[in-house]
Amino acid sequence: MPVRTPDPDPSDDGNGDDARREPLGSPFDQATGPAAAGNPGWLSEVELTEIRRRMPILYVEAVPVRTDGMGAVVQVGILLRATPIGEISRTIVSGRVRYGETVRDALFRHLENDLGPMAFPLLPPQVTPFTVAEYFPLPGMTAFHDDRQHAVSLAYVVPVTGTCEPRQDALEVTWLSPEEASSDALAAEMEGGRGTLIRLALASVGALR
Amino acid sequence: MPVRTPDPDPSDDGNGDDARREPLGSPFDQATGPAAAGNPGWLSEVELTEIRRRMPILYVEAVPVRTDGMGAVVQVGILLRATPIGEISRTIVSGRVRYGETVRDALFRHLENDLGPMAFPLLPPQVTPFTVAEYFPLPGMTAFHDDRQHAVSLAYVVPVTGTCEPRQDALEVTWLSPEEASSDALAAEMEGGRGTLIRLALASVGALR
Amino acid sequence: MPVRTPDPDPSDDGNGDDARREPLGSPFDQATGPAAAGNPGWLSEVELTEIRRRMPILYVEAVPVRTDGMGAVVQVGILLRATPIGEISRTIVSGRVRYGETVRDALFRHLENDLGPMAFPLLPPQVTPFTVAEYFPLPGMTAFHDDRQHAVSLAYVVPVTGTCEPRQDALEVTWLSPEEASSDALAAEMEGGRGTLIRLALASVGALR
Amino acid sequence: MPVRTPDPDPSDDGNGDDARREPLGSPFDQATGPAAAGNPGWLSEVELTEIRRRMPILYVEAVPVRTDGMGAVVQVGILLRATPIGEISRTIVSGRVRYGETVRDALFRHLENDLGPMAFPLLPPQVTPFTVAEYFPLPGMTAFHDDRQHAVSLAYVVPVTGTCEPRQDALEVTWLSPEEASSDALAAEMEGGRGTLIRLALASVGALR
């Protein structure tokens, strides 16, 4: 399985192929027009590719969970995605932090992009992540890798209370028990070592056995 | 101001004076009847007083907060209470963990007792506290003291989404900004060093300046 | 395998069999003499057994680790112990917090008792545990159980820099890699569900895969 | 007082003015020669300035502390620095994470640069920071600001056990009590809001009152 980090929200990479996903004229529409021209945070695909080989790129990631009335995690949401070459892979909510954007805003934006506007995520009051996942182009330096870039990801467990309707057709959310979510079988299907990230997430909430 | 730890929920100390607060026959009614007779976790007031001088007592505490749509803390809930001798003091949600009860259950029980059944607290997925507050009978060993006992408290920040209606007449919830809640003025009114606890709580969510 | 929580330091349970381990006349000598008579925190074996069926008992636990020069965990120390009936079991550093003792002091005392005076543990600056492990007499309520009591344990990862020489003959420290320490094989040998505790410990330091 | 983020280690910004600080030919010598030519992570001053206006830049920061034998924080190390225009300001250990470098390695490198090779810092086993500090060019978005860039900093409390001898002449380490370090007076002298960062650091180790 290819080990590229999926780009669950191409729009925030500024490579201009997501007109279908965000309304024209939105402040996040980086593809065209005055917003792109006037926003120094806008990056062309070429520029981003260039920077990715020279700077660590800051990401946020979220493991969506369902909790019971007492706050205990009972299910974990895993995203199913078709890669451009038609392979199916599994991942979690993940995306870049933009210039000028708070970590909290980035987290909310990617949750909404990947889970839809009716997911009603409960962002934690803490901005401290449960772990910092370091993705390197070369596998083996850490548990995580991404052949495209050096990414450093702040990872959060986020309860969602609504209905998940991924915006992209190819994306689907599957809810698994903590046991299933921490299994070797699932880990083998996860991109870039994110099976480990799910285990760390479950451990942080005491739901790993 | 007296430095006794308030006992916001006398019922869970088993000293039998809260018939007005919990329905007779409830599993938590420790004062009378078969439940008391059959439950080894039931402690008479004399027994509890005795144990308090010989064992550290496990507590949970909660700093109730209001958050904005992005999870950031915007207000802190402080409880106002009249002590038995008629003094007014300020505190937070606090109470003992019972034999056989999980930390999560104890936290929920005390939140409901102190904030009422319509507060709708969002218990965190983590059971890890933001701090462990150690209360000693002798002031000065730590920032916290309680002339009645050695108590060790697991402290949590808990967003509440509903309406707070404290069950006891003497109890009222005041909502303060993080700045007000961390002020020296408020700290001076808080019992047992809990002004420090509120600052640690605000720091844990990045809301302390 | 029996699921009783080991009592790695009988002395702190006040059951009076550790004259060989603590100097006579020390404030911790609970077995005999004026200290015992005058210290309300002293508990006879009968009293402790009684309290254990009526109150949650506060514990501290430590997973000893070796770190490399950059702070990364490279080995985990597991204690080997012979039970009174001659079975061999594995555990970690664990023991009760005494009346009047800080969590930090209790942690240090049990580390010294279980690892010897030359272990040179580096206690963390934080008193916040990586998890709160709840042991119930009835298995299944949580990942942890102890047929003797309801214990609530604050658990820490503690780097040790010296030589471990357990004070008790029956005790030995084995150093394992994070992979070995988180294996199912080891978990099956650990008492009371502590295999899970080791996994949570490794996850908290990013050393679980 | 100017609110620019100090660049305590100019070398890691690749602006080439630190020949005096790192041996020629070191892998970190980005200024000249084959290393610079062959390392895509090398950035000229112009390039870095450009990227700083378009991407959030990942930093690590460390609050150096002295601990007592039990791990409790007793002193906080504050750096004194002369700015290029001759003003004196106070700060903590702080610097950029390079392409291809782990967070842990970056933390160690900046500790050594700012505190000298004999400081013997004890890096924590956890890579999870006590907070994530977000510095924006525009003051007021968070407690932190940096008129040069949008920086996101992973902040750690790091005990140091040796002697601090800052490598740069203009730099000196002052050791303060937790009370002094959290005072308003000190906060007023700290750059970019780092007085708040020190309070959050102290809170995370329970040393804030």
Side-chain angles (χ1 to χ4, degrees):
Chain A
M1 177 177 122
V3 294
R4 277 192 44 154
T5 296
D7 218 342
D9 177 13
S11 74
D12 61 57
D13 291 321
N15 42 17
D17 62 350
D18 63 327
R20 75 188 180 285
R21 297 180 57 201
E22 296 188 6
L24 286 176
S26 103
F28 295 143
D29 180 7
Q30 303 183 337
T32 58
N39 180 355
W42 183 85
L43 296 169
S44 72
E45 192 165 356
V46 169
E47 287 172 315
L48 185 65
T49 302
E50 176 68 17
I51 290 176
R52 278 187 162 139
R53 295 187 307 111
R54 304 186 71 176
M55 295 275 288
I57 309 295
L58 183 66
Y59 270 66
V60 286
E61 297 191 285
V63 177
V65 297
R66 300 270 189 207
T67 56
D68 65 16
M70 304 299 282
V73 169
V74 292
Q75 286 187 311
V76 178
I78 306 290
L79 304 182
L80 196 66
R81 173 179 297 122
T83 65
I85 56 166
E87 288 177 315
I88 298 295
S89 72
R90 291 178 185 276
T91 191
I92 56 173
V93 174
S94 176
R96 200 159 66 78
V97 180
R98 285 176 179 155
Y99 179 85
E101 184 182 44
T102 65
V103 165
R104 205 177 275 283
D105 285 342
L107 191 55
F108 187 83
R109 177 169 58 85
H110 289 294
L111 283 161
E112 193 169 47
N113 267 343
D114 284 356
L115 303 182
M118 306 302 285
F120 299 124
L122 298 173
L123 267 64
Q126 298 84 4
V127 77
T128 312
F130 71 83
T131 202
V132 176
E134 304 180 63
Y135 295 82
F136 289 100
L138 197 64
M141 281 188 67
T142 65
F144 311 104
H145 53 101
D146 180 348
D147 59 15
R148 194 181 44 171
Q149 64 188 339
H150 172 194
V152 176
S153 162
L154 309 179
Y156 301 88
V157 172
V158 180
V160 300
T161 58
T163 307
C164 294
E165 297 169 347
R167 290 192 177 184
Q168 294 173 280
D169 296 342
L171 208 58
E172 178 187 291
V173 179
T174 311
W175 292 98
L176 303 178
S177 70
E179 290 70 30
E180 292 167 326
S182 59
S183 68
D184 289 341
L186 187 81
E189 292 180 46
M190 300 290 298
E191 287 181 315
R194 287 188 180 80
T196 291
L197 200 62
I198 288 173
R199 287 172 186 167
L200 300 187
L202 287 168
S204 76
V205 296
L208 186 84
R209 289 294 173 106
Chain B
M1 180 177 119
V3 295
R4 276 195 41 157
T5 297
D7 218 342
D9 177 14
S11 73
D12 61 58
D13 290 321
N15 42 17
D17 62 351
D18 63 326
R20 74 187 182 286
R21 297 180 57 202
E22 295 187 358
L24 286 176
S26 101
F28 297 143
D29 180 8
Q30 303 184 336
T32 58
N39 181 356
W42 181 85
L43 297 168
S44 73
E45 192 164 355
V46 169
E47 288 172 315
L48 185 64
T49 301
E50 176 68 17
I51 289 178
R52 277 187 163 140
R53 296 188 305 111
R54 306 185 71 176
M55 295 275 289
I57 309 295
L58 183 66
Y59 269 65
V60 287
E61 296 191 285
V63 178
V65 298
R66 300 269 189 207
T67 56
D68 65 15
M70 304 299 283
V73 169
V74 292
Q75 286 187 312
V76 179
I78 306 290
L79 303 182
L80 197 66
R81 173 179 298 122
T83 65
I85 57 168
E87 289 178 315
I88 298 295
S89 71
R90 292 179 184 274
T91 191
I92 55 172
V93 174
S94 175
R96 199 160 66 79
V97 180
R98 284 177 180 155
Y99 179 84
E101 184 183 44
T102 65
V103 166
R104 205 178 276 283
D105 285 343
L107 191 56
F108 188 83
R109 177 169 58 86
H110 290 292
L111 283 162
E112 193 168 48
N113 267 344
D114 285 355
L115 304 181
M118 307 302 285
F120 299 123
L122 297 173
L123 268 63
Q126 298 83 4
V127 78
T128 314
F130 71 83
T131 203
V132 176
E134 304 180 65
Y135 295 82
F136 289 99
L138 197 65
M141 281 190 65
T142 65
F144 310 103
H145 53 102
D146 180 348
D147 59 15
R148 195 181 43 172
Q149 62 187 341
H150 171 196
V152 176
S153 161
L154 309 179
Y156 301 88
V157 172
V158 179
V160 299
T161 59
T163 307
C164 293
E165 297 168 348
R167 289 192 178 182
Q168 293 173 285
D169 295 343
L171 208 57
E172 177 187 292
V173 180
T174 312
W175 293 98
L176 303 178
S177 70
E179 290 70 29
E180 293 167 325
S182 58
S183 68
D184 288 341
L186 186 81
E189 292 181 47
M190 300 290 297
E191 287 181 316
R194 287 189 180 79
T196 291
L197 200 61
I198 289 173
R199 287 173 185 167
L200 301 187
L202 287 168
S204 76
V205 297
L208 186 83
R209 289 294 171 108
Chain C
M1 178 176 121
V3 295
R4 277 194 44 154
T5 296
D7 217 342
D9 176 14
S11 73
D12 61 59
D13 290 321
N15 42 18
D17 61 352
D18 63 325
R20 73 187 183 288
R21 297 180 58 200
E22 297 189 8
L24 287 177
S26 102
F28 295 142
D29 179 8
Q30 302 183 337
T32 58
N39 180 356
W42 182 84
L43 297 169
S44 73
E45 193 164 355
V46 169
E47 287 172 314
L48 185 64
T49 301
E50 175 71 10
I51 290 177
R52 278 188 162 139
R53 296 187 306 112
R54 305 186 71 176
M55 296 274 288
I57 308 295
L58 183 66
Y59 269 66
V60 287
E61 296 192 286
V63 177
V65 299
R66 299 270 189 206
T67 56
D68 65 16
M70 305 298 283
V73 169
V74 292
Q75 287 187 313
V76 179
I78 306 291
L79 304 182
L80 196 67
R81 173 178 297 121
T83 65
I85 56 167
E87 289 178 313
I88 298 296
S89 70
R90 292 178 183 276
T91 191
I92 56 172
V93 174
S94 176
R96 200 160 66 78
V97 180
R98 286 176 179 155
Y99 179 84
E101 184 183 44
T102 64
V103 165
R104 204 178 276 285
D105 284 342
L107 191 56
F108 187 83
R109 177 169 58 85
H110 290 293
L111 282 162
E112 192 168 48
N113 267 343
D114 284 355
L115 304 182
M118 306 302 285
F120 298 123
L122 297 173
L123 267 65
Q126 298 83 3
V127 77
T128 314
F130 71 83
T131 203
V132 176
E134 303 180 66
Y135 295 82
F136 289 99
L138 197 64
M141 281 189 67
T142 65
F144 310 104
H145 53 103
D146 180 347
D147 59 16
R148 193 181 44 172
Q149 62 188 340
H150 172 193
V152 176
S153 162
L154 309 179
Y156 301 89
V157 172
V158 180
V160 299
T161 59
T163 307
C164 294
E165 297 168 349
R167 288 192 179 182
Q168 293 172 283
D169 296 341
L171 208 58
E172 176 187 293
V173 180
T174 311
W175 293 97
L176 303 178
S177 70
E179 291 70 29
E180 292 167 325
S182 58
S183 68
D184 288 342
L186 186 81
E189 291 181 48
M190 299 290 298
E191 287 181 316
R194 287 189 180 80
T196 291
L197 200 63
I198 288 173
R199 287 173 186 166
L200 300 187
L202 287 168
S204 76
V205 296
L208 186 82
R209 291 293 172 106
Chain D
M1 173 175 127
V3 294
R4 277 192 43 154
T5 296
D7 217 342
D9 176 14
S11 74
D12 62 59
D13 291 320
N15 43 17
D17 63 350
D18 63 326
R20 74 187 180 287
R21 297 178 58 201
E22 296 189 3
L24 286 177
S26 101
F28 296 142
D29 179 9
Q30 303 183 338
T32 58
N39 181 354
W42 182 84
L43 296 169
S44 73
E45 194 165 354
V46 170
E47 287 172 315
L48 186 64
T49 302
E50 175 70 11
I51 290 177
R52 278 187 163 138
R53 296 188 305 110
R54 306 186 70 176
M55 295 274 289
I57 309 295
L58 183 66
Y59 269 66
V60 287
E61 296 192 286
V63 178
V65 298
R66 299 269 188 206
T67 56
D68 66 15
M70 305 299 282
V73 169
V74 291
Q75 286 187 312
V76 179
I78 306 289
L79 305 181
L80 196 66
R81 173 179 298 123
T83 65
I85 57 167
E87 288 177 314
I88 297 296
S89 72
R90 292 180 184 274
T91 191
I92 55 171
V93 174
S94 175
R96 199 160 67 77
V97 180
R98 286 177 178 155
Y99 179 85
E101 184 182 44
T102 64
V103 165
R104 204 178 275 283
D105 285 342
L107 191 56
F108 188 83
R109 177 168 58 86
H110 290 293
L111 283 161
E112 192 168 48
N113 268 343
D114 285 355
L115 304 182
M118 305 302 285
F120 298 123
L122 297 173
L123 268 65
Q126 298 83 3
V127 77
T128 313
F130 71 83
T131 201
V132 176
E134 304 181 64
Y135 295 82
F136 289 100
L138 197 66
M141 283 188 65
T142 65
F144 310 104
H145 54 102
D146 180 349
D147 59 15
R148 194 181 43 169
Q149 64 187 340
H150 171 194
V152 176
S153 162
L154 310 179
Y156 301 88
V157 172
V158 179
V160 300
T161 59
T163 307
C164 294
E165 297 168 349
R167 289 192 178 184
Q168 293 173 283
D169 295 343
L171 207 59
E172 177 186 292
V173 180
T174 312
W175 293 98
L176 303 177
S177 70
E179 291 70 30
E180 293 167 324
S182 59
S183 69
D184 289 341
L186 186 81
E189 292 181 47
M190 300 290 299
E191 289 181 313
R194 286 189 180 79
T196 291
L197 200 62
I198 288 172
R199 287 173 186 166
L200 301 187
L202 287 168
S204 76
V205 297
L208 186 84
R209 289 293 172 107

